[in-house]
Amino acid sequence: MFGYALRRTLSAIPTLVLVAISVFVLLRVVPGDPALLILGDAASAESLASLRRSMGLDLPLWQQFSHWIARVLVGDFGTAITNGQPVLPLIIDRFSVTAVIVLLSVLLASLVAVPLGMVAAWRQNSATDLAVIAGSTLLLSVPSFWLGLMLLMLFGVWLQWLPVVGYVGFGENAAIALTFIIMPVVTLTLIEIGQLTRMARAATIDVLRLDYVAHARAKGLSEGVVLFRHVLPNAFAPTLSLIGVILGNLLGGIAVIETVFTLPGLGRLLVDAIFQRDYPVVQGCMLFIAAIYIVVNLLIDLAYPWFDPRVAVE
Amino acid sequence: MSPLLEISGLRIATSGRLPVVDDVSLEIARSEVLAVVGESGSGKTATARATIGLLPPGLHVSSGSIRFDGREIAGLPHAELRSLRGPGIGMVFQEPMTSLNPALTIGGQLTEALALHGVSRAEQRERALAMLTRVGIQDPAQCLGAFPHEFSGGMRQRIMLASAMLLRPKLLIADEPTTALDTLTQADVLDLMVDLTREHGTAVMLITHNLGLVARYAQRAVVMQSGRVVETGDAAALLTTPRTLYTRALVEAMPRRMDARPPVPPSPVIEARGLTVAFGGRRRFFTLGRAVTAVDQVDLTVHQGETVALVGGSGSGKTTLGRALLRLVNPTAGEIRFQGADITRLTGQQLVPFRRACQIVFQDPFSSLDPRLRVQAIVAEPLRLMPDRSLDQVARMLAAVGLTGFERRFPHELSGGQRQRVAIARALIRNPAFVVADEPVSALDMTIQKQILALLRQLQRERGFACLFVSHDLAAVEEVADRVVVMQSGRIVEAGLRDAVFDRPQHAYTQALLAASPRLPTLTG
């Protein structure tokens, strides 16, 4: 298993190289000049040129790229053009905010959605099933920013139970930090419940049709044992793949929710950096996000055989 | 003594009140093997499932009585019914690939029902080991910790049987327990089942569409058609002197040997010399796959107008050989000649004339037709590359396979037999010189099998194509083949004229295959 993980990690290197090259080239193709954005329209041609020189933007593209990549290889992602902060600590700091919210939401959503989907499938075509389908379709169709704004209005403005604007890190004061992330977590959880419930229901329906479920019942096992021991692990495997995709997607930044709740997350960092043509930050973020995808997928693949032993890890 | 199971006036209906089983009555004595025989849609499986209270959603018992061991069990509350399952009534399912849970170990699945009945852990393990040994598992201790996918289909059916018999049920329901297995494995598993149930005094309800099994394994038989019982009686008498027309039709549908056709003048259509196909062994990312030789140094010739049957168990390489002859699988070594020309190394455009002259009919008529095309379009498709395509030709072909008037239907609007006729029409519309029929009737009911085999014979007489008939079913082979080639582990172990191979088999493997193949006594009266 360790060898497999190592091989998978090594085989991710070409992917990361491709990401690095394409992000670098694409950014340079997009019109816009960081020096102009920093100094403003009124700046003189000489000061613009000298700022470009000091940032290394006057060099040929391949030289800029090789300088950047050589430093990335030793763990130095450069400094942000806009505020001079080192990029990697900046990304990690912002990512921790996003990660807490995303991991909590996906965990909560899975804990609710998998049993809900299973019960709906078990009672297929009943009123319970209909209610679950209707509910999850509704959650799927609601835009996340609207749901977020409604929660803000209800709990923040009218009831005034939770803070509306700002963020406090868990390192400063855990209790206060918690009040800031409740609403974003709830919003994201509700949205993901919609998706995961439908998947869990469909997967369970497929499994319930199979002979081994009838076989388990024919042995005289109770419905509870049949569902938990025989149906759950098999129905969970396809859901796990979807959870992997969702995690990869969300950990790369939840810009809309971060904007609605004014959270300093990875998504907002990336969006702001794009607008400011902050090349080192955008490049760093994109590489980081690609790495997250690779790690999440690897973890999901390593966990998969646990639910489906037919898939061997070797 | 009262019978163990007594079903009377049983009716099973869909939620829309359509009867699936209508007024069925049957009984099984203690330790008796009763065969329930019928074609698809006869209601035999629904009757069996109702007995153990496991009807699929959408079906329910609407009236009638099921008495088991002196007690009425139709309409019993779920909890009481459950206590009956396992030690009262056990069940063995048809499909070995889906009837064991892939996520649990064999040991976990064998012992869970014992645990339910308060057997201690040590005794659970001991009984599971003893039962696995009894059903012929080589290393029972290792098997307990293994997962189902590590076993072949035949082994899984043995494990299933062990799982059901471990609870020592009074009645075992076996729903087509060996239909998915090849002939040799089928006989092994059924022999084991009959021995094992006799040892425990367990009665068996054997559900099957195969009359050959009835003659061999059951004392009495019930014949079902369209949800009703048409005949009940002693198994041997039912087969030799059927009282109803339907049973007689079923018995007559059993493949039997036709008179040998006059030998064809030797005019080879396809010839293979030293043909070898190996899979794997290619270097992949970071790893080296291991090569498996599926076809090993095979020589085979099929002449114009003759049918050569390629026979063997699962994994013998017969399907791979059939596909390699069509260049659907690339040979690793050896030579294939088609009408005298070497086609072994042709690629791309060079293969087109060969592709046009050869066709294949697949086993599964449910997945081999495009569900979005109408019958007419499916049959016309091979004509697309030809200048003289015409609807006339399609109409004539459909008439030849007996499907006039079905032009505008979609595959899902056809029965299995009709779909296989469409597949045959599609294969033959360009008058191919060589046709590979890969288990073309294995998925069909007996009476439909007979029609399709007769159709193939008739079309071959009219059109004179060479046919390679790939099959594990010796009964069907005996009906259609001129010559028989027996394959084992990728090699040809015996080849000869049909009568010679069937009457005087030389190789031990052929003898074993023939001994395992169910035959019928001759029909009288």
Side-chain angles (χ1 to χ4, degrees):
Chain A
M1 185 154 144
F2 178 74
Y4 171 79
L6 188 72
R7 275 201 308 276
R8 279 283 304 268
T9 313
L10 287 178
S11 65
I13 290 173
T15 317
L16 286 174
V17 170
L18 274 178
V19 170
I21 294 175
S22 50
V23 167
F24 188 89
V25 172
L26 278 174
L27 262 182
R28 265 66 182 178
V29 172
V30 178
D33 178 358
L36 193 67
L37 281 169
I38 291 170
L39 296 178
D41 290 341
S44 67
E46 293 85 54
S47 55
L48 278 175
S50 91
L51 183 58
R52 284 198 195 108
R53 197 160 42 250
S54 71
M55 294 194 295
L57 293 175
D58 57 335
L59 297 171
L61 270 188
W62 68 270
Q63 274 188 17
Q64 289 186 35
F65 181 73
S66 57
H67 285 167
W68 174 61
I69 214 78
R71 275 184 314 205
V72 165
L73 285 180
V74 296
D76 175 12
F77 281 65
T79 52
I81 293 178
T82 40
N83 57 15
Q85 284 186 24
V87 170
L88 193 58
L90 182 64
I91 290 176
I92 289 172
D93 183 44
R94 298 297 195 91
F95 173 69
S96 66
V97 176
T98 303
V100 167
I101 290 166
V102 167
L103 291 176
L104 267 178
S105 308
V106 172
L107 180 72
L108 287 175
S110 311
L111 287 178
V112 175
V114 171
L116 205 60
M118 279 186 65
V119 168
W122 185 56
R123 288 263 166 261
Q124 202 188 346
N125 297 329
S126 69
T128 318
D129 184 28
L130 199 68
V132 170
I133 296 177
S136 55
T137 309
L138 184 71
L139 288 176
L140 263 181
S141 340
V142 170
S144 58
F145 70 88
W146 183 84
L147 191 59
L149 287 174
M150 289 302 118
L151 289 177
L152 273 178
M153 198 124 99
L154 181 63
F155 296 103
V157 180
W158 290 346
L159 297 172
Q160 304 209 337
W161 290 353
L162 296 167
V164 177
V165 175
Y167 178 76
V168 172
F170 276 84
E172 294 166 48
N173 185 332
I176 296 181
L178 198 63
T179 61
F180 281 98
I181 65 160
I182 287 180
M183 283 194 285
V185 166
V186 168
T187 308
L188 200 54
T189 303
L190 287 174
I191 301 283
E192 296 312 328
I193 283 177
Q195 248 191 97
L196 286 172
T197 305
R198 296 187 68 99
M199 183 71 194
R201 178 179 175 272
T204 309
I205 288 176
D206 285 345
V207 171
L208 282 173
R209 277 196 209 114
L210 295 175
D211 277 348
Y212 61 77
V213 175
H215 181 198
R217 286 179 175 148
K219 281 190 282 198
L221 302 180
S222 70
E223 279 301 290
V225 175
V226 170
L227 281 182
F228 274 92
R229 204 172 138 81
H230 289 270
V231 178
L232 179 63
N234 290 293
F236 187 64
T239 316
L240 184 68
S241 303
L242 181 66
I243 290 176
V245 174
I246 289 176
L247 266 184
N249 255 327
L250 297 182
L251 284 176
I254 35 174
V256 173
I257 285 182
E258 287 166 11
T259 308
V260 169
F261 294 101
T262 60
L263 298 171
L266 189 61
R268 264 178 73 204
L269 176 69
L270 177 61
V271 171
D272 291 346
I274 291 173
F275 281 123
Q276 290 157 355
R277 300 290 180 275
D278 197 335
Y279 294 164
V281 175
V282 177
Q283 286 162 191
C285 282
M286 296 305 284
L287 265 188
F288 189 77
I289 290 169
I292 289 174
Y293 265 96
I294 288 160
V295 170
V296 168
N297 275 311
L298 176 62
L299 291 179
I300 296 286
D301 286 353
L302 287 177
Y304 210 91
W306 206 62
F307 297 97
D308 188 349
R310 285 170 296 184
V311 181
V313 169
E314 52 189 32
Chain B
M1 201 163 68
S2 67
L4 179 67
L5 179 75
E6 192 178 5
I7 296 177
S8 55
L10 181 70
R11 282 193 169 82
I12 299 172
T14 64
S15 41
R17 306 265 155 217
L18 283 170
V20 173
V21 167
D22 196 2
D23 197 16
V24 161
S25 300
L26 58 86
E27 47 187 62
I28 303 180
R30 282 163 213 280
S31 316
E32 180 191 39
V33 180
L34 175 85
V36 179
V37 190
E39 301 194 297
S40 24
S42 62
K44 56 190 195 301
T45 293
T47 305
R49 292 256 177 160
T51 306
I52 192 168
L54 283 177
L55 281 174
L59 292 185
H60 66 278
V61 173
S62 56
S63 69
S65 125
I66 303 172
R67 290 186 76 78
F68 176 74
D69 215 4
R71 182 167 164 218
E72 179 62 46
I73 59 170
L76 215 57
H78 187 77
E80 284 182 57
L81 197 56
R82 226 183 61 218
S83 67
L84 214 66
R85 293 181 195 150
I89 308 175
M91 184 152 180
V92 175
F93 295 83
Q94 170 173 3
E95 190 45 71
M97 295 300 155
T98 59
S99 47
L100 291 171
N101 189 334
L104 293 179
T105 59
I106 304 287
Q109 298 187 56
L110 286 183
T111 53
E112 61 182 350
L114 287 176
L116 198 71
H117 295 97
V119 179
S120 73
R121 285 190 84 87
E123 197 191 334
Q124 286 172 26
R125 188 180 156 82
E126 194 184 310
R127 275 171 67 176
L129 284 174
M131 185 54 80
L132 284 176
T133 312
R134 177 63 190 85
V135 299
I137 299 291
Q138 297 289 338
D139 185 352
Q142 193 261 330
C143 173
L144 285 182
F147 287 98
H149 69 270
E150 298 169 46
F151 295 88
S152 68
M155 282 298 153
R156 288 191 213 188
Q157 276 319 60
R158 285 164 189 267
I159 292 167
M160 262 278 272
L161 194 57
S163 155
M165 291 306 294
L166 205 50
L167 298 163
R168 299 169 187 156
K170 293 178 184 149
L171 172 67
L172 182 71
I173 298 175
D175 188 359
E176 303 267 10
T178 57
T179 307
L181 305 177
D182 69 48
T183 314
L184 272 181
T185 324
Q186 172 171 322
D188 286 349
V189 170
L190 281 176
D191 287 342
L192 175 67
M193 187 180 87
V194 168
D195 288 349
L196 199 56
T197 48
R198 193 176 296 140
E199 286 165 22
H200 288 81
T202 300
V204 180
M205 184 196 278
L206 174 65
I207 314 252
T208 182
H209 71 278
N210 190 338
L211 281 175
L213 301 183
V214 175
R216 194 154 160 165
Y217 296 102
Q219 285 109 42
R220 286 193 313 121
V222 168
V223 180
M224 287 186 71
Q225 181 195 15
S226 319
R228 291 172 169 275
V229 170
V230 294
E231 191 163 346
T232 308
D234 176 76
L238 202 91
L239 293 170
T240 49
T241 49
R243 292 192 305 270
T244 60
L245 280 175
Y246 182 69
T247 312
R248 195 177 180 88
L250 275 186
V251 174
E252 279 171 352
M254 286 291 290
R256 53 199 78 227
R257 198 184 296 189
M258 303 283 177
D259 290 336
R261 294 189 284 194
V264 289
S267 128
V269 174
I270 196 132
E271 299 170 83
R273 293 282 162 267
L275 192 66
T276 301
V277 182
F279 291 119
R282 221 173 52 224
R283 226 192 104 74
R284 288 157 71 188
F285 204 43
F286 294 121
T287 48
L288 190 69
R290 222 178 51 210
V292 176
T293 307
V295 175
D296 196 2
Q297 301 275 342
V298 163
D299 296 338
L300 180 71
T301 305
V302 186
H303 297 279
Q304 194 184 340
E306 78 166 344
T307 296
V308 173
L310 190 55
V311 177
S314 357
S316 60
K318 57 190 193 304
T319 291
T320 308
L321 174 56
R323 299 201 172 184
L325 289 177
L326 294 176
R327 288 291 315 274
L328 293 174
V329 174
N330 279 329
T332 318
E335 179 188 81
I336 307 168
R337 300 185 84 82
F338 176 68
Q339 294 175 332
D342 188 350
I343 57 141
T344 326
R345 309 267 167 256
L346 298 187
T347 51
Q349 278 299 308
Q350 300 168 311
L351 264 176
V352 170
F354 169 69
R355 291 253 186 268
R356 288 183 185 176
C358 295
Q359 284 300 327
I360 183 164
V361 177
F362 295 95
Q363 167 174 7
D364 183 2
F366 292 85
S367 66
S368 63
L369 302 178
D370 186 336
R372 286 163 207 284
L373 292 182
R374 292 177 195 277
V375 165
Q376 193 170 44
I378 292 171
V379 176
E381 197 159 38
L383 298 177
R384 274 189 10 196
L385 301 168
M386 286 195 8
D388 58 343
R389 56 189 287 213
S390 74
L391 289 180
D392 263 15
Q393 213 177 336
V394 174
R396 277 201 303 277
M397 192 65 235
L398 283 175
V401 297
L403 284 182
T404 303
F406 286 74
E407 286 85 352
R408 305 293 298 160
R409 298 241 198 141
F410 283 107
H412 70 263
E413 298 170 311
L414 303 174
S415 69
Q418 288 166 340
R419 283 181 222 208
Q420 207 55 311
R421 286 168 189 267
V422 173
I424 290 171
R426 173 176 64 181
L428 296 185
I429 191 155
R430 312 211 21 185
N431 276 322
F434 176 51
V435 174
V436 172
D438 190 355
E439 305 266 10
V441 295
S442 316
L444 304 175
D445 275 329
M446 285 298 196
T447 49
I448 310 297
Q449 277 194 18
K450 182 166 189 77
Q451 294 166 11
I452 296 291
L453 291 178
L455 178 69
L456 273 176
R457 264 178 96 89
Q458 180 206 336
L459 289 170
Q460 188 178 38
R461 200 163 51 236
E462 292 164 11
R463 292 161 185 251
F465 54 85
C467 179
L468 184 72
F469 188 90
V470 181
S471 182
H472 72 271
D473 179 5
L474 286 177
V477 165
E478 189 171 12
E479 176 152 343
V480 297
D482 298 303
R483 285 192 298 132
V484 176
V485 172
V486 184
M487 260 184 109
Q488 183 192 19
S489 316
R491 288 174 177 272
I492 289 178
V493 294
E494 181 157 1
L497 289 173
R498 178 196 64 189
D499 292 358
V501 173
F502 273 80
D503 297 336
R504 296 174 297 280
Q506 302 298 310
H507 195 274
Y509 183 69
T510 316
Q511 290 163 1
L513 272 181
L514 282 168
S517 175
R519 304 285 192 83
L520 272 188
T522 2
L523 200 63
T524 57

